[in-house]
Amino acid sequence: MTLYDQDGSVPQSEYSDRHLRISGDGEVNDNPIEEVRLTVPITDDPSLPVLTFRTWVLGILSCGLLAFLNRFFGFRQNQLTVSAVSAQILVLPIGKLMAATLPTKKFKCPITNWSFSFNPGPFNIKEHVLITIFASCGASGVYAVHIIAMLRAFYKRSIHPVAALLLALTTQMLGYGWAGLFRRYLVDSPYMWWPANLVQVSLFRALHEKEKRPKGGLTRIQFFFVVFVSSFAYYIVPGYLFPSLTALSFVCWIWKRSVTAQQIGSGLSGLGIGAIGIDWSTVSSFLGSPLATPLFSIVNTLVGFALVMYILLPIFYWNNVYEAKRFPIFSAATFDAQGHKYNVDRVLNKETFDLNVEAYNGYSKLYLSVFFAFIYGLSFATLTASISHVALFDGKSIMEMWMKTKDAVGDKFADVHTRMMKRNYDSVPGWWFHAVLVVSVALALYACEGFGKVLQLPWWGLLLACLIALGFTLPIGIINATTNQQPGLNVITELIIGFLYPGKPVANVVFKTYGYISMAQALAFLSDFKLGHYMKIPPKSMFIVQLVGTVVASSVYFGTAWWLLGSIKDICDTAALPEGSPWTCPGDDVFYSASIIWGVIGPGKMFTKEGNYPEMNWCFLIGFLAPVPVWLLSRKFPKKRWIKQIHMPIIIGTASSMPTAKAVHFNTWGVVGIFFNYYIYRKYKAWWARHTYILSGALDAGIAFMGVVIYFALQNYDNFGPNWWGLDSGDHCPLAKCPTAPGVKSKGCPVQ
């Protein structure tokens, strides 16, 4: 899509002589990245107010509301992530309304020279950016809440609310320390350009450019509200009246007594052949909005899904690899040798809450469905594939940018944006970041060592997790800032603590959270700082908004989870929940299983000769080698650009979304994604460019608000909908969960 300057002319960097644009004050757009030159303006008005009354009110409300909605829906069968884009679009007319109606009178603060106004002038783009940063804090999630849910809902153990709140806060806040240490390299350098931020810059510019309603059409804001109301109204059907619409598995309706047919046709518990959902939450709940996903990524994801579900899984299952037929074909549960659910209480010491080795040896090794075992193998492969892919395809350019970054940090080269920021605004003092880091580490130590050591992680484990996060922030940050890829540390952290401190389920997940999430949070902060860098937001204002937003979001996530876990009877217990209840906790269920695999039993008893799955370690090597043939083909046939679109980390990494995301989610997501990003994009490109992101945000927002209305108006009073066939929130494929090995008994299943 061609971008234009304010006067409507084509940017100078698109001319054949590639001259650089010059701003009104004589600044030359010498940014070395062409995409940045085409997208980011080189103008700034330092006089615009930023931390205004509107910013604080709309920002904190957006942050709190998105945090509440995302955690609220996180416990439901069809999870829904309401993105910051919804708030970004919604607050614009509200901000303009406040600018038009609030009093402009100034109030002076006693003793000081400060003055304050509810309405300092027109609602401006910098206020909008900061409100969106607030919203993104609320939309980004608090990983530590999974630990709280795991302890209370699955292990049925108590945790002090202060310990739980400190866990939620410190895992998020530690990232500030790492961000402060590396911001000179990952923000100030023009070679660290964070590609994803350019979408936001484009959207901000589009929303703040003057827009006239086209004849016979709608403005973008009007379009948003039309879709929002439609989505809000429709969700009463799949959300309350007809929950079965979320997963329609037609094969099961035809072959009601065939285990094999239901394994093939079930969209929630099988291969999902022909399964589909007529519900936007089915489309976007686990895989994100397909409207905002590039076509090449959609295709790679679907290829990976097809390889796993339609080729590898059937071969492994029907050849009974790892005694696969003893267990369901598609399950994230853990099992014993008899095919029954693994009774973790039999191998845990009740007092110390760690592995009782004698009881374990007298009970059973831990077994997984062949699908779940294969998912872990693919997660190993994804990690190494990401490393080798980036090294082969982007290694040279990353090294070149890193060498130039060191020059830029040494002030040998600073682009127009860095010069403008340094000239117009004070940078954030380093001690602000260091103070947050010291306080966060101290509170984290208190959470781990205090409260009866319910978190199990000793002080040395916390410091080791911090060291891992610190060591990986810069290299992964360079990859993220230049390629838009972020290899995760969850597998590495689980392996390390699983070998060093086996038999401790809570310690394992706490270590993973401090080691992995604090690094991910640091990169999220740095990405936001780069967005502020592009939009010319004062760095101190950006820091304050991020800090307050993180505290608000963490507190609301914790409060919402604590409330729901204490108020909804049998939450997360699918066997005890009433029919039609949506509170199945799919993400927390997988998290719980992971705590058993990596924590209670440990990788030493799972992925070595002591366990059932030592062959999965070969996946590290397979993943490392997987990108090599693609790279060689791209070198041999450089004109075949489609070869470089084959992205092995995405193909292999598709498995990382499963088993939380089921076959029906992939099917529906893929159909919608290809329709919009291939057919609509090619045939109606102007419409696609104008409406696609807004459509996605409006659909999310409509479902989110109706979901909350349904809960408080109906489900809160145990009214889950009319009692009929369509009330089942499953897909009417009960036999898909049955084992098929001879002699294995399972409730509701025929014995083979």
Side-chain angles (χ1 to χ4, degrees):
M1 183 175 67
T2 302
L3 298 171
Y4 296 90
D5 288 334
Q6 295 296 329
D7 62 358
S9 61
V10 180
Q12 293 294 318
S13 53
E14 285 197 347
Y15 289 134
S16 58
D17 59 5
R18 300 176 69 86
H19 286 167
L20 301 175
R21 285 179 290 176
I22 301 176
S23 68
D25 59 3
E27 278 283 9
V28 176
N29 191 351
D30 53 359
N31 186 281
I33 308 299
E34 184 175 10
E35 290 88 341
V36 176
R37 294 200 304 272
L38 291 172
T39 307
V40 182
I42 57 171
T43 56
D44 182 29
D45 183 359
S47 66
L48 289 176
V50 285
L51 287 178
T52 65
F53 175 77
R54 295 184 295 246
T55 301
W56 286 111
V57 171
L58 294 179
I60 291 177
L61 284 176
S62 299
C63 178
L65 183 60
L66 263 61
F68 169 76
L69 290 174
N70 284 320
R71 184 59 269 174
F72 180 88
F73 279 93
F75 286 118
R76 295 165 68 94
Q77 176 167 309
N78 268 341
Q79 293 178 339
L80 178 69
T81 300
V82 186
S83 68
V85 174
S86 299
Q88 182 179 4
I89 296 169
L90 194 60
V91 299
L92 181 59
I94 299 175
K96 290 183 175 181
L97 178 65
M98 293 175 74
T101 57
L102 289 178
T104 58
K105 182 180 178 181
K106 287 188 177 182
F107 301 90
K108 288 187 176 181
C109 298
I111 305 174
T112 70
N113 293 324
W114 295 350
S115 61
F116 171 79
S117 174
F118 288 109
N119 189 355
F123 185 67
N124 66 72
I125 193 171
K126 294 190 179 186
E127 291 176 284
H128 198 181
V129 171
L130 288 176
I131 293 168
T132 304
I133 296 298
F134 263 124
S136 67
C137 291
S140 58
V142 177
Y143 196 75
V145 171
H146 289 299
I147 301 174
I148 302 168
M150 178 193 77
L151 279 170
R152 294 190 62 186
F154 291 92
Y155 285 115
K156 309 297 182 184
R157 294 180 70 89
S158 62
I159 178 174
H160 196 285
V162 176
L165 178 60
L166 288 177
L167 178 67
L169 282 169
T170 54
T171 51
Q172 301 294 103
M173 301 293 287
L174 272 173
Y176 278 97
W178 321 139
L181 292 173
F182 300 117
R183 75 186 192 280
R184 293 177 63 202
Y185 297 100
L186 296 174
V187 176
D188 292 346
S189 169
Y191 296 97
M192 302 293 113
W193 58 291
W194 298 89
N197 279 332
L198 300 185
V199 176
Q200 286 279 18
V201 174
S202 299
L203 185 55
F204 278 120
R205 293 185 68 185
L207 291 174
H208 283 268
E209 291 173 355
K210 291 184 178 180
E211 180 183 19
K212 290 183 179 180
R213 177 177 177 176
K215 189 175 181 179
L218 300 171
T219 66
R220 277 173 286 220
I221 295 299
Q222 290 171 334
F223 178 78
F224 176 87
F225 279 106
V226 168
V227 177
F228 170 79
V229 171
S230 302
S231 175
F232 179 86
Y234 175 74
Y235 190 62
I236 189 68
V237 179
Y240 178 74
L241 298 173
F242 195 175
S244 293
L245 285 177
T246 61
L248 301 172
S249 301
F250 301 105
V251 172
C252 300
W253 303 357
I254 300 171
W255 289 279
K256 297 181 179 180
R257 298 183 180 180
S258 170
V259 173
T260 301
Q262 294 200 15
Q263 287 177 327
I264 292 172
S266 174
L268 295 177
S269 304
L271 305 185
I273 301 290
I276 202 74
I278 310 176
D279 177 8
W280 178 252
S281 66
T282 302
V283 176
S284 64
S285 54
F286 297 101
L287 300 170
S289 172
L291 305 186
T293 305
L295 180 64
F296 93 93
S297 182
I298 293 173
V299 173
N300 277 282
T301 299
L302 293 178
V303 168
F305 168 72
L307 286 173
V308 171
M309 293 295 285
Y310 301 146
I311 298 176
L312 296 175
L313 179 56
I315 291 173
F316 274 56
Y317 184 83
W318 276 290
N319 283 287
N320 205 30
V321 178
Y322 296 126
E323 299 184 65
K325 293 184 178 181
R326 283 183 173 271
F327 318 111
I329 190 172
F330 186 100
S331 173
T334 51
F335 301 92
D336 60 23
Q338 304 305 314
H340 303 137
K341 286 282 183 75
Y342 198 84
N343 187 351
V344 70
D345 291 333
R346 288 184 58 175
V347 300
L348 277 175
N349 289 309
K350 292 185 178 180
E351 292 78 16
T352 58
F353 200 53
D354 57 7
L355 180 66
N356 184 329
V357 177
E358 184 177 345
Y360 169 77
N361 291 333
Y363 175 37
S364 170
K365 290 183 178 181
L366 186 69
Y367 287 81
L368 309 174
S369 69
V370 69
F371 166 79
F372 203 26
F374 197 60
I375 290 303
Y376 273 112
L378 290 176
S379 70
F380 299 161
T382 302
L383 177 67
T384 51
S386 297
I387 295 171
S388 60
H389 177 90
V390 170
L392 290 171
F393 286 93
D394 304 295
K396 184 178 179 181
S397 60
I398 288 174
M399 286 304 299
E400 289 175 353
M401 288 187 178
W402 172 242
M403 296 305 294
K404 292 175 181 177
T405 291
K406 292 197 295 183
D407 291 339
V409 170
D411 287 331
K412 294 180 182 179
F413 176 74
D415 75 331
V416 58
H417 304 292
T418 301
R419 289 194 300 271
M420 294 175 74
M421 290 295 290
K422 288 184 176 180
R423 181 173 66 243
N424 295 334
Y425 309 105
D426 294 331
S427 63
V428 180
W431 69 265
W432 287 19
F433 292 100
H434 303 151
V436 174
L437 175 61
V438 171
V439 171
S440 298
V441 171
L443 290 175
L445 285 169
Y446 177 53
C448 291
E449 292 291 341
F451 306 99
K453 295 189 175 182
V454 67
L455 299 182
Q456 294 188 327
L457 188 67
W459 63 268
W460 60 263
L462 174 63
L463 297 182
L464 178 59
C466 291
L467 188 63
I468 291 172
L470 176 63
F472 277 97
T473 296
L474 183 60
I476 293 183
I478 294 170
I479 294 170
N480 199 183
T482 53
T483 68
N484 215 25
Q485 299 175 44
Q486 187 187 123
L489 299 181
N490 51 328
V491 174
I492 289 179
T493 51
E494 287 172 326
L495 276 173
I496 290 173
I497 197 64
F499 279 113
L500 292 179
Y501 206 48
K504 306 283 188 179
V506 185
N508 188 279
V509 294
V510 171
F511 181 89
K512 173 176 68 172
T513 304
Y514 277 117
Y516 168 37
I517 295 304
S518 66
M519 181 215 69
Q521 279 296 110
L523 298 184
F525 296 147
L526 290 164
S527 177
D528 284 346
F529 262 104
K530 193 67 176 188
L531 176 62
H533 190 82
Y534 286 149
M535 301 303 297
K536 311 302 178 294
I537 307 297
K540 290 182 179 179
S541 299
M542 179 67 75
F543 178 89
I544 292 169
V545 164
Q546 286 180 305
L547 184 64
V548 174
T550 301
V551 172
V552 171
S554 300
S555 302
V556 173
Y557 266 95
F558 159 75
T560 305
W562 196 265
W563 163 59
L564 290 174
L565 290 167
S567 62
I568 297 178
K569 185 181 178 182
D570 299 320
I571 187 172
C572 305
D573 188 347
T574 54
L577 284 169
E579 185 178 5
S581 175
W583 304 104
T584 57
C585 313
D588 299 293
D589 182 30
V590 175
F591 197 87
Y592 166 67
S593 295
S595 75
I596 298 173
I597 295 165
W598 298 99
V600 177
I601 308 303
K605 289 181 170 60
M606 285 291 296
F607 300 107
T608 67
K609 291 182 180 179
E610 291 186 42
N612 294 313
Y613 309 103
E615 296 83 6
M616 291 300 160
N617 291 301
W618 285 103
C619 291
F620 284 109
L621 179 61
I622 293 170
F624 187 79
L625 297 176
V628 174
V630 181
W631 178 73
L632 292 174
L633 286 171
S634 70
R635 301 271 293 182
K636 186 174 178 62
F637 305 103
K639 294 183 179 180
K640 304 288 185 181
R641 294 185 178 181
W642 62 268
I643 295 177
K644 287 189 176 182
Q645 301 291 309
I646 301 174
H647 202 287
M648 294 308 297
I650 294 179
I651 293 174
I652 299 172
T654 297
S656 65
S657 301
M658 298 184 279
T660 309
K662 312 297 195 294
V664 67
H665 301 114
F666 280 93
N667 292 348
T668 314
W669 180 85
V671 169
V672 173
I674 290 175
F675 176 75
F676 274 93
N677 290 333
Y678 180 77
Y679 176 75
I680 297 293
Y681 177 78
R682 290 175 179 269
K683 195 169 183 66
Y684 307 102
K685 185 175 290 187
W687 188 97
W688 184 95
R690 180 181 175 86
H691 294 109
T692 300
Y693 292 130
I694 296 172
L695 174 65
S696 176
L699 289 169
D700 286 347
I703 288 176
F705 284 103
M706 176 53 82
V708 174
V709 169
I710 291 172
Y711 173 74
F712 284 107
L714 299 166
Q715 293 173 343
N716 192 38
Y717 301 100
D718 295 327
N719 185 346
F720 294 102
N723 188 17
W724 72 297
W725 176 86
L727 180 63
D728 187 358
S729 58
D731 62 349
H732 302 280
C733 300
L735 301 183
K737 299 178 181 179
C738 293
T740 56
V744 178
K745 296 181 180 179
S746 183
K747 185 178 179 180
C749 296
V751 179
Q752 302 294 321

